[in-house]
Amino acid sequence: YRPEFWWFEIYECFRRLSFTGMLVVFEPGSPPQLCFSMILALLSSLMYEHNQPFEKTEENTLAQISSVSIFLTLLAGILITLKEHLDEEYNEKLGALLVIINTLVFAMVGASILFKPIFKLITKFNEKHVHDAPLKGMGPDVAYSVALFIDHFKRLAESDTNEAGWKPLDVK
């Protein structure tokens, strides 16, 4: 958690206790129990969205998606309790939707793990630089001559960082 959200673990314990302990006052599997659970899941999702308590953006996003997944699963639970009003084809589609919703959380974690290094590399390439060293940037004479361009590129590729002189800019 970010330092200013030191208290969020207390909220998290209360949230988990609410999903388990407070629901015993309702009949198991009843629509009121499912509705109360949906309200808790919605409030939880709003709490994560409003506060963004985690240091990493990916963790905040994962917490929000998990809360929405719980909400949608409970919504499907309410629809299943109405099964006498639904046909068999609808129940199959609802089952497939539940699998997709709950798999989305795992897909999010997998995508985060896979794409994080790629985004880091792209960010590194997008940094602005200044060139201030013996091998200066190309002048007009080099830019219009293929032979001079190739020679300049070879010297630049073979140079070390001090000789090439690429330094990050402090752009604010």
Side-chain angles (χ1 to χ4, degrees), residues 32-166:
Q33 185 186 43
L34 292 170
C35 286
F36 186 74
S37 299
M38 284 178 63
I39 291 169
L40 287 176
L42 181 62
L43 291 175
S44 173
S45 182
L46 292 172
M47 188 75 154
Y48 283 117
E49 175 63 33
H50 177 71
N51 290 306
Q52 302 280 313
F54 297 106
E55 289 183 350
K56 296 182 179 177
T57 305
E58 302 90 25
E59 292 172 353
N60 287 312
T61 305
L62 181 61
Q64 291 167 7
I65 288 177
S66 297
S67 292
V68 170
S69 175
I70 291 170
F71 177 83
L72 293 174
T73 300
L74 292 166
L75 178 63
I78 287 179
L79 294 175
I80 288 171
T81 60
L82 303 172
K83 65 183 169 190
E84 63 269 0
H85 303 292
L86 306 174
D87 61 356
E88 189 60 34
E89 181 183 340
Y90 186 78
N91 281 335
E92 289 176 15
K93 290 178 182 176
L94 186 60
L97 182 63
L98 272 173
V99 170
I100 291 169
I101 288 169
N102 289 300
T103 306
L104 181 64
V105 176
F106 295 107
M108 170 78 179
V109 171
S112 175
I113 291 169
L114 290 175
F115 294 122
K116 190 174 184 179
I118 294 170
F119 289 133
K120 201 174 208 179
L121 184 64
I122 290 171
T123 303
K124 192 70 176 165
F125 281 134
N126 285 335
E127 287 179 357
K128 297 195 183 296
H129 293 82
V130 64
H131 197 212
D132 186 21
L135 277 175
K136 300 281 186 192
M138 291 188 301
D141 56 329
V142 174
Y144 295 111
S145 166
V146 174
L148 290 175
F149 174 80
I150 292 172
D151 180 55
H152 177 79
F153 182 77
K154 283 180 184 176
R155 287 185 19 228
L156 189 59
E158 293 169 353
S159 66
D160 62 9
T161 12
N162 292 332
E163 186 182 8
W166 291 101

